[in-house]
């Protein structure tokens, strides 16, 4: 794999075709990323293969040789695992985001991470209607997470206004259209 950093979305790896670089044999498709939330790092991925995807193969992130538009190439053999172990993998994906003042802010839907190191640079969350954060997808830096449990993460209320928009929602797009219309009339 290239030595330079490449930040990608977790969702960009899901369902990617996995090929053995040496034999070009199909190993399956990426089912889920293997994460270690305590240090906000992606460690590898689980590939589903076989009839109805029942067989599971575990790969460390360092085993990715190349990532392209249509799939990824791996080197070194994977470790076999089972569906039960895969279902117990920890992740902050699908966790609700709550403020330390008791407001539900949104839900984590994805993350951005460095493909080389596995470091999660941002969690991406959709807002839940918190004032000032309507629609759109926002970036949540891991350092802003105060604590987390099985279903929720906690962030400081004071940090909410500082979360950058990753992908604007309808309300942000309408505001921008209105702003441009005002400027063009002047």
């Amino acid at each position: 794999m290239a030595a330079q950093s490449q930040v990608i979305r977790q969702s960009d790896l899901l369902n990617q075709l996995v090929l053995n670089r040496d034999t070009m044999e199909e190993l399956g498709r990426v089912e889920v990323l293997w994460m270690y939330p305590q240090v906000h790092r992606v460690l590898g991925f689980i590939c589903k293969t076989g009839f109805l995807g029942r067989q599971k193969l575990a790969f460390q992130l360092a085993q990715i040789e190349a990532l392209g538009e249509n799939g990824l190439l791996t080197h070194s053999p994977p470790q076999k695992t089972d569906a039960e172990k895969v279902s117990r993998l920890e992740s902050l994906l699908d966790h609700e985001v709550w403020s330390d003042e008791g407001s539900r802010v949104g839900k984590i839907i994805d993350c951005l991470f460095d493909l080389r190191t596995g470091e999660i640079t941002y969690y991406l969350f959709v807002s839940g209607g918190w004032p000032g954060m309507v629609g759109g997808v926002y970036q949540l830096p891991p350092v802003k997470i105060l604590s987390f449990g099985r279903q929720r993460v906690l962030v400081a209320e004071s940090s909410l206004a500082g979360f950058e928009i990753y992908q604007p929602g309808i309300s942000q797009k309408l505001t921008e259209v209105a702003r441009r219309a005002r400027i063009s009339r002047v």
Side-chain angles (χ1 to χ4, degrees):
M1 186 167 61
Q4 67 185 31
S5 295
Q6 180 184 2
V7 176
I8 64 168
R9 284 186 325 191
Q10 173 268 162
S11 58
D12 290 340
L13 277 183
L14 296 180
N15 210 33
Q16 285 283 345
L17 181 64
V18 179
L19 300 172
N20 179 312
R21 185 188 185 286
D22 296 329
T23 64
M24 291 309 291
E25 291 296 319
E26 182 177 324
L27 299 173
R29 294 202 173 264
V30 177
E31 179 177 27
V32 66
L33 268 61
W34 166 27
M35 299 181 185
Y36 189 47
Q38 291 80 353
V39 294
H40 306 290
R41 192 165 302 279
V42 173
L43 302 176
F45 64 93
I46 306 298
C47 178
K48 60 184 174 183
T49 187
F51 183 67
L52 299 176
R54 289 189 174 147
Q55 186 178 15
K56 311 292 181 184
L57 302 173
F59 294 87
Q60 293 179 4
L61 204 57
Q63 289 178 271
I64 297 176
E65 181 77 24
L67 174 63
E69 288 182 32
N70 302 323
L72 58 93
L73 301 175
T74 66
H75 58 82
S76 17
Q79 298 293 315
K80 287 188 180 184
T81 188
D82 59 46
E84 184 180 328
K85 286 181 182 177
V86 171
S87 70
R88 290 191 312 246
L89 290 175
E90 290 185 73
S91 169
L92 296 185
L93 299 177
D94 295 325
H95 277 49
E96 293 178 351
V97 179
W98 282 72
S99 78
D100 60 355
E101 292 187 8
S103 299
R104 184 183 182 277
V105 178
K107 184 176 186 175
I108 296 175
I109 59 166
D110 209 341
C111 68
L112 299 172
F113 72 98
D114 185 315
L115 188 60
R116 184 179 57 79
T117 65
E119 178 186 359
I120 295 173
T121 56
Y122 292 101
Y123 292 97
L124 301 178
F125 74 95
V126 290
S127 67
W130 189 80
M133 297 184 102
V134 180
V137 178
Y138 293 85
Q139 297 181 105
L140 170 58
V143 298
K144 297 293 184 179
I145 296 175
L146 302 174
S147 64
F148 63 88
R150 293 178 185 249
Q151 300 174 351
R152 294 170 195 85
V153 300
L154 184 68
V155 298
E157 182 88 19
S158 60
S159 67
L160 294 176
F163 293 148
E164 293 183 36
I165 293 177
Y166 178 77
Q167 182 177 8
I170 291 173
S171 63
Q172 288 96 356
K173 289 177 183 177
L174 290 175
T175 301
E176 181 60 22
V177 167
R179 186 187 69 77
R180 288 183 185 185
R182 282 191 304 268
I183 292 172
S184 66
R185 282 187 258 160
V186 174

